[in-house]
Amino acid sequence: MWTIVLFDLPTDTDTARKQYTAFRKQLLNNGYVMMQYSVYMRHHASTENADVHVSRVKKSLPPDGEVRVIKITDKQFSKMEVYYG
């Protein structure tokens, strides 16, 4: 199972930038890798493990902005199409 975290957080003040950085570092410390800007992904061995990590994301939410979490299966992830150029 994969979780994908998408976020749109404000960076217009010093405080907002620090909160953005802290949230991003929390994702990295929990094993997420950047898929593209403001989109991070992580593989999980089970649904239960994914739920644990999603709860960690919820605990580290900044007070402003928007965060979305998508959980998809390995089969769904393998059907992703990526285009360059």
Side-chain angles (χ1 to χ4, degrees), residues 65-83:
E66 183 176 313
V67 177
R68 296 173 190 245
V69 177
I70 301 170
K71 292 190 263 186
I72 61 174
T73 64
D74 290 338
K75 186 174 182 178
Q76 290 167 324
F77 189 84
S78 72
K79 292 182 179 183
M80 183 185 317
E81 296 182 26
V82 179
Y83 304 103

Side-chain angles (χ1 to χ4, degrees), residues 3-46:
T3 55
I4 301 173
V5 178
L6 308 96
F7 56 93
D8 186 14
L9 303 176
T11 57
D12 55 342
T13 65
D14 287 340
T15 301
R17 278 190 293 280
K18 287 178 185 177
Q19 292 169 344
Y20 170 93
T21 301
F23 180 74
R24 184 179 172 280
K25 284 183 180 178
Q26 184 69 16
L27 290 175
L28 294 170
N29 290 339
N30 279 293
Y32 287 86
V33 295
M34 188 169 68
M35 190 173 186
Q36 62 186 58
Y37 292 119
S38 299
V39 180
Y40 286 71
M41 65 181 182
R42 186 185 197 286
H43 185 262
H44 306 280
S46 65

Side-chain angles (χ1 to χ4, degrees), residues 35-61:
M35 190 173 186
Q36 62 186 58
Y37 292 119
S38 299
V39 180
Y40 286 71
M41 65 181 182
R42 186 185 197 286
H43 185 262
H44 306 280
S46 65
T47 302
E48 294 79 13
N49 183 254
D51 292 340
V52 167
H53 284 276
V54 169
S55 70
R56 290 180 186 170
V57 169
K58 288 179 184 178
K59 288 179 184 175
S60 65
L61 291 175

